[in-house]
Every structure is written in structure tokens, then in C-alpha cells.
Amino acid sequence: MEGLNNGFIQWMRPLNRLEDFELDKREPNQSKEARFIDIFRNAWNNAGEARSDYAGEQYALSVGETDDPHNLMIAANKAELSVELLVQLRNKALESYDQLIKIGF
């Protein structure tokens, strides 16, 4: 239990929102490479945008505002793929976490 107080190991706390992550507290000498949370946040935002685009295309087609019904299928596929990417990112994160847990210290 002594190793828990030196800052190396931190207790897990429940997350209720994606904003609970401390995104802007990077070290000054840390490189500008994308971190996993940045990639996950971008995937989350892209999935939300794709879903709203799909809903907008559905509405436009239902009220007759569009002449291109193929845009609805394109938006549907984009929404499906963005959610699938988000799920795969989550699965990889959980798989990595499980592997870290299995490592003996």
C-alpha cells in the first residue's frame, strides 16, 4: 500500500461524462502526437455529426427538399461506419486494459 501514495498509482474513479478527462493538462515537453483520448474524442464527435447529418437527410427527403435521394444512403453509411469505428476503439481500449491488468508487478 506504500506505493499508492507516491503518485505512481492512482485510484480509479468513475466517469460520468467524456469531459471528465483532463485533456488540456499536458506536460510542456510532451510531443504533439495524438493521444488516445484525442482520437477517441474525435471519433465521438464524428459519430455525432454523422448521426445529425443522417437525420437531416432523412428530414429533407421526407419533406421533399432534396433531389438527390442517394445522399440519404451516403449519410446512413457514414453514420454506421462512424459508430462502428467508435465501438472498435472502445473494444481495443478494453482489451488493452485487460492485458495491463494481467501483467504482474
Side-chain angles (χ1 to χ4, degrees):
M1 295 300 269
E2 294 175 21
L4 296 176
N5 296 329
N6 66 6
F8 178 70
I9 297 176
Q10 298 177 358
W11 292 103
M12 292 180 62
R13 57 188 164 93
L15 284 175
N16 298 327
R17 307 173 310 187
L18 193 58
E19 288 79 23
D20 288 344
F21 286 107
E22 298 174 358
L23 297 175
D24 297 325
K25 292 189 175 183
R26 293 184 180 179
E27 298 291 325
N29 58 358
Q30 186 176 0
S31 67
K32 300 271 185 187
E33 294 178 12
R35 296 183 303 170
F36 177 77
I37 186 62
D38 296 331
I39 295 169
F40 191 77
R41 180 176 284 263
N42 286 338
W44 180 270
N45 291 338
N46 288 340
E49 289 174 13
R51 186 181 176 282
S52 66
D53 289 346
Y54 176 57
E57 289 293 332
Q58 280 182 323
Y59 178 77
L61 185 65
S62 67
V63 296
E65 290 180 356
T66 185
D67 294 330
D68 298 325
H70 67 278
N71 287 341
L72 177 64
M73 293 307 296
I74 292 170
N77 286 331
K78 282 183 181 179
E80 181 181 353
L81 287 175
S82 62
V83 169
E84 188 175 325
L85 173 66
L86 189 61
V87 168
Q88 289 299 324
L89 283 172
R90 183 210 56 167
N91 290 345
K92 287 294 180 182
L94 289 175
E95 182 181 321
S96 299
Y97 177 76
D98 287 340
Q99 289 178 359
L100 285 173
I101 292 299
K102 292 178 184 177
I103 294 175
F105 287 98

